[in-house]
Structures are given as C-alpha cells and as structure tokens.
Amino acid sequence: MNSTIIRLSTQALLGRRRGLVLALIPAVVIALAVVIRALTEPGTGYEIVDAIGFTLALPLVALLASSAVLGPEIDDGSIVYLIAKPVPRRSVVLSKYVVAWLATLALGALPLLLAGLVLDSSEPSQAVAWALGGAVAGTTYTALFLALAALTRHAVVIGLLFVLLWEGLLGGLLSGIRWLAIGAWGQEIAASVSDAVTAPGTGLLYAVLAATVLTVGSVWFAGDRLRSFTLRGDE
Amino acid sequence: MPEQPVPRTGASGVIHDLGYRPYDGPRNGSGTIASALFLSGFRNAFGLGRSGKSKVLPFLLLALNLLPAVIIVGAMTLFNANELPLGYARYASATQILVSIFVAAQAPVLFSRDLRHGSIALYLARPLSSAAYAVARWAALLAATLVFLLVPIVALYVGAVLAELDFSEQTEEAAKAALLAVLLALMLTGISGLIASVSVRRGFAVVATIAVLLLGNGVVTAVQGISDEQGELRVGEVAGLFSPYSLYRGGTSALTDELFLTPPTGAVMTAAYFAVMVLVGIAGLAGIVLRYRRIAGR
Amino acid sequence: MGTISLEAVSRWYGNVVAVNGITMTVGPGVTGLLGPNGAGKTTLIALMAGFLSPSAGTVTLDGDTIWRNTEVYRTIGLVPEREISFGYLTGRQFVLANAELHGLTDPGAACQRALEVVEMVEPASRRIGTYSKGMRQRVKLASALVHDPSVLLLDEPFNGVDPRQRLHLMALLQRFGAEGRTVLFSSHILEEVEQVARQIEVVVSGRHAASGDFGEIRRLMTDRPVQYVVVSDDDRTLASALISEPSVVAVGLRPRGGVDVSVTDLGEFAHRLPRVARDARVRLVELTPTDESLESVFSYLVGR
C-alpha cells in the first residue's frame, strides 16, 4: 500500500459534491429511522434497515466510492501520472480499494448499526447482525465495483444493473440467484448472528467463501488490469 | 469577380479582394436549429447516431421493459383471461427500476457530455439562446422517456384489443395510463436532467439520480407502510407527495381502481398530488434552463 | 546511461497497424520524433513508456524490458499529451505527490527543485484548475523531472503553448540534452524539431521513414527530386529541350497544357530554365512547385 495514493484517493472521494452525496445517502437512512422511532413504538418499521439501508443504500455507497477512487482517472487517462512510478500497480489498486472500502464501511455498513439501534435498542444483536452482514457485503461490493471500474467506462451502469436488476428484480423472482448475489451472502452472514434475520439459504460457509473469493479475485483482477494499463492517443 | 487590389494605408502592404464572400443566402431560424437539436438528442438517447456500444444499454432496457408486457399478453391469450393481469397504469410502477436506470443512464448522454467536453460552447455560439438549447435537450429526454414508458402500454393495449377484451374500457384505461405516463415522464426528466446538467461526471450523475429516485421512493414507501399499519393514513398521503414514484402511485389510485398503500383521499389531496407532479416537472425544467443560462453567462 | 532500444517493434489494433516493424535506438541528447498527425508518434511513446505492449518485437531500457516493469520509472520521466485532471490539487501538491510516489528521501526538496527548473515556484500554490495551458505543461514537466530521470519522454510538449513559453520549454529540453540525459519529444512541426533536436527520427504511417542527424536528413530532403509545373506557349518544344538538361530527371506533358518536370539539382535548374526557354524560343507563362508540404517530404521519404 502507498500512503500518497491513499491521500490522493481520499481527496478525490471526499472532494466537494461527491463527498456530500456520499454522506447524504446514509444520512437519509438514519434520519428516517429517527423519525420513525420518534413517532411510533420501538421495533416498528425495522424493515427499513433491510429494505432501504442494506439493499439500496449500501450498494449505492459502495458503487459511488469505488467508482470515485478509480473511474474518473482511468476514464480520462490521467491515472498515467500516478502509475508511471516505481510503485507496483497492485499496491496502487490495493490502496485505492482500502479507501473505498473504509468509506463503504463507515457510510454503508455502520449506518445499518445506528439505524437498527435507533429503531429498536432493546435488541442490539439484530442491528449488529445487519451491520456485520453489511460490512461483508460492502467489502465484496466495493471490490467488484472496483474491478468493473478498472475494466470498463460503463462500470457504474453495469454495477447498477447488477444490484438493481440482477440482485433486486430478478433475485426477487428467481430464488436461485441467491447463489450469485452479494446481498444474499451478506444477509446469510447477518442471519447467522441474529435469528431475527431470515437466511436466504446458501449456508454460512458458502456465503463466507463466495464473498472472500469474489473480493480477492476482484481486487486481483483490478490490479492486473492496471498492470496492463494502455495509454491511447486522443484521436 | 475581377481581382482588384484594395489599397490600404501605407506603402508596402496590400490585401487583394479575391472574391471570397461570406454566406449571405437564406438561413433557417432558431426553430429549425432547436428541432434539429431535439431530434439528434432523441436519437442519441437510444444510442442512434452513436457507436454500437451505446445502443446496447437503452435497447437492453427497452427490451426488458417490454418483456413482461409480451409475457402478459401471451399468458392472457393462453388462459383466455378476460382482463389484463397487470393494469396499464400499474405497469410503470412494477418496472420502476428499469425506468429509473434508463433515465439515470441516458440523461447524462444528453446533458453531461456537452459540458464535459466543452462542446457546449459550440452550441451556444450559434444563434440559439441557452434557454432554447436547454428546452430542446429537455424535450429530447422527455420524448425518449415517454417512448420508454408508452411502448409496453401500447403492447398491452394492442394485445388486449386483439384478444377482444371490452374495447371502450381498454381504451379508457390505456388513455389514463398514457396521461399518467406523461406526468411521470415530466418528473423523471426534470429530476434526472437537472442532476445531469449540474454534474460533469457521468457515473456520479447516474448514482445521484438513482439515489434520488429509488432511495426517495424507498423512504416514502416505508413511511406509507408504517402509517398504514398505524392507521395514520394522512401521514402516508402527505409523505407520498415527496417522491416521483409515490406521486405516480397516488395519481394512479385517483384515476383508476388500482390499489396502492395510502392513496390520496379527498379532492384537495388528490389535486395536490397532480399539482405537485406538474410542479416537479416545471421546476426541473426551470432548473435546467437556469443552469444553462449560468453556463452561457460565463 | 538511459538508452531505449526498439527491436523490430510492431503494434496493431485488430486490422489497423499503428507501428510497423520499427527498430530504433534513442540515446543521450535530444531526439525529435517527427511525423504527421496519426503517424504513430503517441503509440511509439506509449511503447517506450511502458503503457502499451508491443504486438511483436521488444522495447527495452538499457536491456530491461519496459512493459509491465514499474522499476523503469526510476529512470524514465514521462510527460503525456493527456491533460492533468487533478484540478483540485495545487501545482505544488501535485508535484509533491509525484515526488512521494517515487519514494524520494526528501520529496519536499525535490519538488521545490523541479518547480524552480520550470519556473513555476510562484504559481505553485494555486489550484491546477486555474492554470493556463503553458503552465499546466510546465507542471507536467516538473512532475516528470522530480526524480531527476536520465530519460525524459515528452508527447507533443509544445502543443497549444504560447511562443514565449515555447522558447522556454525548448531551452529546457536543450539543457537536459546537454546534461547528458536522453530526451525524446514528438512533434508534427518540422521547424519545432529543427530548433531543439540534433537527432531526429521520422515516422510516417507507422513506419520508420528516416533517422539520423538533422542536417543530414534535411539535406536528403532538399536533394530529393522536386516537382514543378511549367506552363509555356509551346509545351512540347520546351519539354524536349528540358530533358537534355542534366538537372532534370523526368518530363511529362499535362493533358491540359503545362509540363511536369522532376528536378534533382534545384539551383542548377533555376539557373538553366530561362536560358533553355530563350534558346528554344519558348515563352514561359508560369512556374509552380507542386509538393512543398511536409507531408510530401514524408511521402518521399517513405516511397524511397
């Protein structure tokens, strides 16, 4: 890892409007939890942790974070300034991944814990479960989206299609998609912590293994893409 | 024209009139320019006139959006049903993820690219006001979104008519759905267009639009669900005013007999739903126009 | 040392050949890479900078393969044509980040030194987004110089830079060359290359068209047959008179009047033409050179 890359990536991630939107997403989730808790009994509306925080806000944060640290620089080719250096490209990718990953944990997974605790403080294990599942899913999402950003300029749209269409729309219709859905793996892990979470049914071992393999594979792939980064002319 | 030296002041220099003349023939007005801009924008939204790769996404989404309609019509004829299993107006709610991705991904095509590559200066150097440019782009996105929303409705309608369901009833329902589609398209175009015209980075605009549309809808739906549970229906009705898709659902319940959570009750609330839908559309357009006025002023 | 060697290097994209069997060695001193737009200059520089793999052949720096070898960047400094998009950083922050990425022991001092060399110390505290084209070009150069590289690759460094800053950049490149660094820059403008480089490499359509000392190439270029069109009141008589001249190598009649003449010795031809015309009692109406553009020079070099 390289501290300069980490510093520059953090600046790119949190700079101006992008950082604002990135912070707004979890803020909306927590604000909703606070409003619901203020107006209703504890435990009411706990579904939002899953339906909004885990299924929607978490992947959006991961997508925004991982595309922000790599996407624009690859898109306009200015990454050559960072990688025409005696720094192994894999360590460049790893540094960028760590920045996006920490952002996803802080702004995607941690809000799940907070929202859960706000909604029902009597049963913290469920909030911890969602946060842990969210942390695992966020780790994998970030890696996958980083690999997409290294692969194509349409990474954001493809990432959205994966989350919304594949995991969301189709995952709701075809239960077999749980074997190939990051969200389902995270939920499986959450279910192993708290009985209040329904397990999608892939088994804990499979979920952990699949998340690990995809994360490591994606970061490795992104590093490999960067090792072969090709500079094209402007024409 | 004969070559005649045009003498200038001083001794040595001379500029020869070689007969080059500026174009002084008839010119098309800004109406023609705007309509050309509209047409190219509309085509670009579907990737027409652009590279083969940029056609993939819009047509993939369009095909996915049409697929359920085709399946429904097929199932209807197979089982001899005497009504559509999914109403015209409900269709857009059922496929809102596809609709959202379409507008989120295609709005930057029309609004961000010219800003990012600086080609906006070339457009604004023409005798076309920044407002006309903005309106032409907005209209192109609106038309594209409408096509996206109306294609499955038309498919369902054609299927229903050919299956000889009650003609006048089907026509009325389809017309209502078309009206609602116009209102939805107005809102989506205003929101996604504004975000795309403010953001230069495409990916950022896409995620921000999705966050506003789907996260907003998620929050409102959650509030509506809880208010329904708690019997505080009014809260859900008011909450419904805050997201395009919940407004659309409210409008649908008002016009048709489709059932959604906490539909607007009473004439005032129903009127408010339709007023907000129109206002969101107008506000989006106004925002886009203002944004381009600022760019042109620089 | 710092010598970049290309051995029979080709690069193709699908059916398009961007670089075709080029062998060249770039050593210490300033080398100009000359060629018209789209000739493959950027492709060549990308190959030398390790941002493109050769489809065939080898690209090496002092014997080490450049592709996928990040260690070469200790020796190579690259100034791409691509703009810096780190507009949110100040010039100093950007150059400093480059110094840190090189793992220098005192990045602050290296940054200051590089900024001084390009005379950007004063504006370095401003954000890059506010810079003019020339200033951005100099910050890019500073970022490439920060680790004191013995090889400097620059892609179209003078594009869009105003004349005063261009002179400054040229003086810098000459200085680096005189210090014994290997400096390679690309350009499509003959005069630009002429002012800076002793050694030039000419590429046209991905092929290595000429190579060597500038004066030598220039002479080869001026000694090439030059095409003229001569219009007279009796073309056929003029043509038969011209073909007996030693300076003329070919004569052709144009269908619509006029004589195409290929001339090897320009001075001799200019001297002889009026006399030949007078002796043959032919009245000359017009004399036009037909191929003075740089592209025709290139096409001559390629067609040779």
Side-chain angles (χ1 to χ4, degrees):
Chain A
M1 278 198 276
N2 185 295
S3 61
T4 309
I5 300 278
I6 290 182
R7 199 183 69 227
L8 290 175
S9 304
T10 312
Q11 267 175 300
L13 183 65
L14 301 179
R16 300 191 294 174
R17 281 202 293 258
R18 194 181 298 273
L20 200 66
V21 171
L22 203 55
L24 264 178
I25 294 175
V28 165
V29 176
I30 293 175
L32 179 65
V34 169
V35 169
I36 292 175
R37 180 62 191 85
L39 299 177
T40 63
E41 299 292 303
T44 309
Y46 206 93
E47 312 82 60
I48 68 152
V49 176
D50 174 12
I52 297 176
F54 183 82
T55 319
L56 202 53
L58 173 73
L60 284 184
V61 166
L63 187 57
L64 208 54
S66 54
S67 61
V69 294
L70 197 59
E73 286 169 11
I74 287 199
D75 207 7
D76 61 20
S78 63
I79 195 155
V80 289
Y81 292 99
L82 299 185
I83 60 178
K85 298 288 180 295
V87 178
R89 304 272 168 91
R90 292 200 197 288
S91 110
V92 174
V93 162
L94 199 61
S95 309
K96 285 182 171 292
Y97 175 69
V98 165
V99 172
W101 176 63
L102 288 176
T104 307
L105 289 190
L107 300 171
L110 184 64
L112 298 178
L113 178 73
L114 298 179
L117 288 178
V118 166
L119 285 166
D120 190 357
S121 54
S122 68
E123 206 191 335
S125 72
Q126 195 182 350
V128 171
W130 280 117
L132 193 69
V136 173
T139 305
T140 313
Y141 277 131
T142 310
L144 177 68
F145 296 151
L146 194 74
L148 283 176
L151 179 67
T152 161
R153 298 197 294 119
H154 303 287
V156 168
V157 172
I158 296 175
L160 277 179
L161 290 176
F162 175 76
V163 170
L164 298 175
L165 207 61
W166 177 255
E167 294 197 339
L169 209 57
L170 293 177
L173 297 171
L174 309 165
S175 62
I177 282 180
R178 70 177 185 271
W179 297 102
L180 295 173
I182 294 171
W185 305 340
Q187 196 173 340
E188 188 74 41
I189 287 158
S192 73
V193 176
S194 164
D195 293 335
V197 182
T198 1
T202 59
L204 182 61
L205 183 66
Y206 176 85
V208 172
L209 273 181
T212 312
V213 167
L214 187 55
T215 303
V216 174
S218 295
V219 175
W220 187 88
F221 176 80
D224 199 61
R225 289 292 302 179
L226 211 58
R227 283 188 70 201
S228 308
F229 180 81
T230 294
L231 187 66
R232 279 177 300 265
D234 272 333
E235 53 276 308
Chain B
M1 181 177 273
E3 289 185 24
Q4 283 180 347
V6 179
R8 291 286 158 130
T9 54
S12 57
V14 66
I15 294 176
H16 296 282
D17 181 357
L18 300 179
Y20 293 125
R21 292 160 65 186
Y23 178 73
D24 53 7
R27 285 176 188 271
N28 291 323
S30 17
T32 321
I33 305 176
S35 69
L37 205 53
F38 165 77
L39 193 68
S40 73
F42 177 72
R43 286 165 47 83
N44 285 353
F46 286 100
L48 302 171
R50 297 173 56 214
S51 67
K53 266 188 196 165
S54 40
K55 294 179 180 66
V56 173
L57 180 76
F59 280 100
L60 174 75
L61 288 174
L62 194 62
L64 286 173
N65 196 33
L66 190 58
L67 185 66
V70 173
I71 293 174
I72 286 169
V73 170
M76 193 178 64
T77 47
L78 200 63
F79 299 115
N80 262 329
N82 51 9
E83 62 170 355
L84 286 170
L86 182 68
Y88 298 108
R90 203 179 188 100
Y91 197 91
S93 284
T95 59
Q96 66 186 25
I97 286 178
L98 297 170
V99 180
S100 303
I101 298 179
F102 180 80
V103 291
Q106 300 312 109
V109 170
L110 296 180
F111 288 98
S112 303
R113 276 157 34 113
D114 290 337
L115 291 179
R116 169 133 179 246
H117 300 296
S119 45
I120 178 76
L122 301 177
Y123 287 107
L124 296 182
R126 306 282 126 198
L128 186 73
S129 69
S130 65
Y133 173 86
V135 171
R137 286 294 193 199
W138 171 83
L141 184 59
L142 180 68
T145 313
L146 260 182
V147 165
F148 194 82
L149 289 171
L150 289 180
V151 161
I153 294 180
V154 168
L156 283 179
Y157 178 67
V158 169
V161 168
L162 292 182
E164 300 208 64
L165 301 187
D166 185 274
F167 181 75
S168 63
E169 189 194 324
Q170 294 300 322
T171 308
E172 189 191 333
E173 290 300 309
K176 283 178 186 168
L179 173 71
L180 286 162
V182 172
L183 289 170
L184 181 61
L186 271 173
M187 292 191 285
L188 297 179
T189 305
I191 292 170
S192 61
L194 186 60
I195 292 175
S197 69
V198 171
S199 168
V200 180
R201 293 275 176 211
R202 178 164 178 263
F204 178 72
V206 173
V207 178
T209 308
I210 290 291
V212 169
L213 293 180
L214 291 184
L215 208 58
N217 176 58
V219 169
V220 170
T221 308
V223 172
Q224 286 182 327
I226 293 165
S227 73
D228 185 56
E229 238 170 67
Q230 307 275 316
E232 297 277 352
L233 297 181
R234 209 60 175 175
V235 175
E237 289 174 40
V238 175
L241 292 168
F242 288 91
S243 137
Y245 290 116
S246 59
L247 283 164
Y248 177 81
R249 286 195 297 270
T252 308
S253 343
L255 286 188
T256 68
D257 42 15
E258 296 283 350
L259 287 177
F260 289 103
L261 280 177
T262 65
T265 50
V268 177
M269 189 51 96
T270 309
Y273 265 67
F274 284 98
V276 171
M277 282 198 253
V278 175
L279 278 177
V280 168
I282 293 174
L285 174 60
I288 296 170
V289 169
L290 283 178
R291 166 73 179 146
Y292 278 98
R293 181 169 296 170
R294 259 193 55 202
I295 294 167
R298 273 210 294 256
Chain C
M1 263 295 287
T3 301
I4 292 184
S5 301
L6 279 73
E7 283 290 333
V9 170
S10 296
R11 172 71 210 196
W12 52 81
Y13 303 92
N15 286 334
V16 183
V17 180
V19 165
N20 191 351
I22 289 188
T23 298
M24 67 165 76
T25 305
V26 184
V30 182
T31 303
L33 184 60
L34 183 64
N37 287 324
K41 300 192 295 291
T42 297
T43 308
L44 268 178
I45 289 189
L47 284 163
M48 295 182 194
F51 285 111
L52 195 61
S53 64
S55 306
T58 56
V59 186
T60 53
L61 169 73
D62 298 334
D64 298 325
T65 303
I66 293 179
W67 175 243
R68 281 195 159 201
N69 179 6
T70 44
E71 285 306 302
V72 297
Y73 298 114
R74 294 189 193 282
T75 315
I76 293 180
L78 172 68
V79 182
E81 193 181 2
R82 195 70 67 160
E83 280 305 330
I84 321 173
S85 67
F86 301 92
Y88 52 90
L89 297 178
T90 67
R92 184 177 295 277
Q93 284 172 335
F94 178 69
V95 179
L96 185 64
N98 278 277
E100 290 173 2
L101 287 171
H102 276 293
L104 303 180
T105 45
D106 188 352
C111 165
Q112 179 67 23
R113 189 178 44 77
L115 287 171
E116 276 165 12
V117 168
V118 298
E119 293 177 17
M120 280 290 289
V121 176
E122 185 258 325
S125 53
R126 273 166 44 199
R127 291 212 340 268
I128 292 174
T130 65
Y131 284 4
S132 70
K133 172 89 188 183
M135 289 161 89
R136 262 176 284 161
Q137 205 66 20
R138 282 190 287 164
V139 161
K140 280 158 69 175
L141 185 57
S143 76
L145 281 177
V146 76
H147 60 302
D148 201 15
S150 51
V151 178
L152 197 56
L153 304 172
L154 307 99
D155 196 1
E156 299 279 357
F158 305 115
N159 257 6
V161 178
D162 71 51
R164 201 180 59 80
Q165 304 205 340
R166 179 183 305 230
L167 283 180
H168 179 211
L169 274 178
M170 286 179 171
L172 274 179
L173 296 194
Q174 276 169 329
R175 201 181 104 199
F176 297 147
E179 288 169 2
R181 293 178 216 263
T182 301
V183 178
L184 177 109
F185 73 99
S186 69
S187 173
H188 57 277
I189 299 166
L190 192 62
E191 285 68 26
E192 240 170 43
V193 177
E194 183 174 16
Q195 283 173 45
V196 188
R198 290 299 308 151
Q199 176 79 17
I200 69 165
E201 308 287 341
V202 185
V203 284
V204 188
S205 309
R207 294 167 64 193
H208 199 188
S211 168
D213 179 75
F214 188 88
E216 184 68 12
I217 301 269
R218 183 90 198 200
R219 201 180 59 71
L220 286 173
M221 284 182 179
T222 34
D223 284 358
R224 78 198 195 278
V226 182
Q227 306 294 323
Y228 285 96
V229 176
V230 188
V231 181
S232 68
D233 60 355
D234 186 353
D235 290 340
R236 194 167 292 276
T237 311
L238 179 68
S240 62
L242 280 176
I243 195 65
S244 59
E245 287 296 313
S247 62
V248 171
V249 289
V251 174
L253 284 175
R254 297 198 142 197
R256 293 179 183 197
V259 185
D260 280 317
V261 191
S262 285
V263 180
T264 48
D265 189 335
L266 206 61
E268 176 67 14
F269 177 70
H271 184 68
R272 287 293 302 160
L273 180 63
R275 282 156 228 276
V276 171
R278 192 190 58 201
D279 296 348
R281 297 178 201 286
V282 176
R283 204 165 141 238
L284 297 178
V285 181
E286 196 180 311
L287 173 68
T288 324
T290 55
D291 59 345
E292 276 303 280
S293 66
L294 184 60
E295 275 68 22
S296 73
V297 174
F298 287 136
S299 61
Y300 162 70
L301 286 168
V302 171
R304 204 166 39 146

